[in-house]
Amino acid sequence: MPSLNCNIGKSTAILIIYHATIILLLAPLLTRISRSFSPQRTSHLIFASLALISLASTWSNMYRYFAWSYTQSGARSVEEWLSRTRLFMEAWGVVSVGREGYWWTAQVCGICAGVLTPLFFVEGRRRGISGLWRYMALAQLVAISFATSLFFLTVVTTTPLARPLSRPSLQILTPCVLVSLATVPFLDPTKPTFLSLLLAMHALLFPPLFHHVPKKSKSDDDVKISHQATIEEETPVLHFVYVVIAYVSCASYIWYTYRYAWNHPAGILGGVKALVGHMFTHPARASIGWDLVCVSAALLVWFVITAEGGRRVHGLWTGVVGMVLVGPAGQSALELATREAPKDDTP
């Protein structure tokens, strides 16, 4: 590898600012978590461990990618490397190229667009969690698996509020999520529209999360309500949103899997091997591959931990099978749609 000259120029400063931004986003979230974190609580330890595993598995490979890119560029300094390399586009090009690469990209984007935004919004509103946009920013700047585990850690260390969801904000959520999902099939790194569509997909996920969350009042601390009652007024609309997301996500996964795996020249088994093996062919691909694996694990653990009564074992095996058959995004949306289904109050 060429000698590493770290002269700080404009491009190097941008990379430093990038890392500093991540630290600034993390600081208030970790401060909030630390106030209620208890090593004696199993759920706290599980999601803290998942967050650390996600961070280690994704960013160890991301720094390996940085080293690979630096070597490939033939640059003699970090500034020269960053100046001559479109790092962001290069990474997405490496990750998304080919049939197998696009399959992995579609799954990660589907979860980010179709599952995380409504999940952050709903559970955040239930517990009065402020700064929800920070979790989405970390999902896009660090890794969706890290942000998801960190969010779940925040949720399990926060008490639910006796407050329904805001109807205007849910009206913002629905079009933003659906339009963002609609851009995923068109994310082709070989086309000039790729960057604009990618940026639009990510930008659309922020508006619902900027909605103001009122601070806790004394009544919030005194009144404890059930998981379902918190959003009683919004249940029909929320259920509909999750059903649409589930149909879109399941159909997309089945289509992508058929096109890129089941229809593989080497047969179904050969297609599956090609898909799994693809994530180990390059550090950038390994990073996004482990991101998908870790966020799937975090979602599965969340659904199992929050399952009602003795349904945890059932939730575990249905979750695993569902994620294989209809994809992590599809299974997660189906589970959320089931949980938010309007309750029949007739005797």
Side-chain angles (χ1 to χ4, degrees), residues 218-239:
K218 291 183 179 179
S219 60
D220 294 326
D221 294 326
D222 297 335
V223 181
K224 300 294 178 65
I225 60 173
S226 68
H227 183 75
Q228 291 81 7
T230 311
I231 58 165
E232 182 179 357
E233 295 179 6
E234 295 291 344
T235 293
V237 179
L238 185 59
H239 174 66

Side-chain angles (χ1 to χ4, degrees), residues 83-95:
S83 298
R84 68 166 61 171
T85 306
R86 299 179 66 189
L87 203 58
F88 179 79
M89 288 298 294
E90 180 186 77
W92 273 99
V94 170
V95 166

Side-chain angles (χ1 to χ4, degrees), residues 9-346:
K10 179 181 178 181
S11 299
T12 307
I14 292 174
L15 185 61
I16 293 173
I17 292 172
Y18 175 85
H19 286 81
T21 301
I22 293 173
I23 295 173
L24 291 174
L25 288 170
L26 265 176
L29 304 184
L30 294 178
T31 300
R32 175 173 185 153
I33 291 170
S34 66
R35 296 193 187 109
S36 304
F37 182 82
S38 172
Q40 283 72 42
R41 296 291 298 275
T42 303
S43 60
H44 295 193
L45 287 177
I46 289 175
F47 288 117
S49 299
L50 285 172
L52 291 174
I53 292 171
S54 299
L55 186 63
S57 61
T58 55
W59 274 82
S60 61
N61 284 292
M62 187 55 66
Y63 284 123
R64 284 179 56 216
Y65 160 65
F66 288 165
W68 173 88
S69 177
Y70 183 86
T71 302
Q72 292 295 115
S73 70
R76 291 173 293 181
S77 69
V78 172
E79 178 64 24
E80 183 183 354
W81 161 55
L82 293 173
S83 298
R84 68 166 61 171
T85 306
R86 299 179 66 189
L87 203 58
F88 179 79
M89 288 298 294
E90 180 186 77
W92 273 99
V94 170
V95 166
S96 304
V97 68
R99 301 190 305 170
E100 294 82 8
Y102 187 69
W103 185 90
W104 285 94
T105 302
Q107 307 316 309
V108 171
C109 290
I111 290 178
C112 191
V115 176
L116 295 191
T117 300
L119 188 60
F120 289 174
F121 170 76
V122 171
E123 297 301 333
R125 293 291 296 174
R126 281 182 172 138
R127 289 162 176 80
I129 298 174
S130 59
L132 293 174
W133 63 271
R134 292 176 180 271
Y135 296 95
M136 182 53 66
L138 288 172
Q140 298 182 18
L141 294 176
V142 183
I144 63 171
S145 55
F146 174 71
T148 302
S149 294
L150 194 68
F151 176 75
F152 287 150
L153 181 57
T154 305
V155 169
V156 297
T157 56
T158 307
T159 305
L161 300 179
R163 181 184 294 120
L165 288 178
S166 168
R167 188 173 298 276
S169 190
L170 190 58
Q171 291 175 354
I172 296 173
L173 175 75
T174 305
C176 284
V177 169
L178 296 183
V179 173
S180 183
L181 264 181
T183 66
V184 175
F186 304 99
L187 293 176
D188 186 348
T190 64
K191 295 183 178 179
T193 57
F194 173 73
L195 182 58
S196 58
L197 283 175
L198 187 66
L199 293 176
M201 185 203 79
H202 286 87
L204 283 168
L205 304 180
F206 281 97
L209 304 180
F210 277 114
H211 190 269
H212 174 64
V213 177
K215 294 183 178 181
K216 277 189 175 184
S217 63
K218 291 183 179 179
S219 60
D220 294 326
D221 294 326
D222 297 335
V223 181
K224 300 294 178 65
I225 60 173
S226 68
H227 183 75
Q228 291 81 7
T230 311
I231 58 165
E232 182 179 357
E233 295 179 6
E234 295 291 344
T235 293
V237 179
L238 185 59
H239 174 66
F240 170 77
V241 172
Y242 278 134
V243 168
V244 173
I245 294 171
Y247 274 116
V248 172
S249 300
C250 290
S252 298
Y253 176 85
I254 293 171
W255 167 249
Y256 293 143
T257 304
Y258 173 78
R259 186 178 178 187
Y260 298 114
W262 294 349
N263 202 33
H264 196 273
I268 295 178
L269 184 59
V272 171
K273 288 182 178 179
L275 282 176
V276 175
H278 182 78
M279 72 176 280
F280 299 104
T281 58
H282 191 280
R285 294 167 189 162
S287 180
I288 198 171
W290 283 115
D291 201 14
L292 179 60
V293 171
C294 290
V295 74
S296 300
L299 288 166
L300 183 61
V301 170
W302 169 255
F303 291 137
V304 171
I305 286 179
T306 57
E308 295 180 354
R311 294 181 57 85
R312 290 187 175 182
V313 175
H314 177 268
L316 177 61
W317 74 263
T318 55
V320 172
V321 173
M323 286 186 177
V324 172
L325 295 180
V326 297
Q331 171 60 24
S332 299
L334 285 171
E335 177 67 26
L336 292 168
T338 301
R339 294 187 177 201
E340 306 298 350
K343 302 298 185 292
D344 186 1
D345 296 329
T346 59

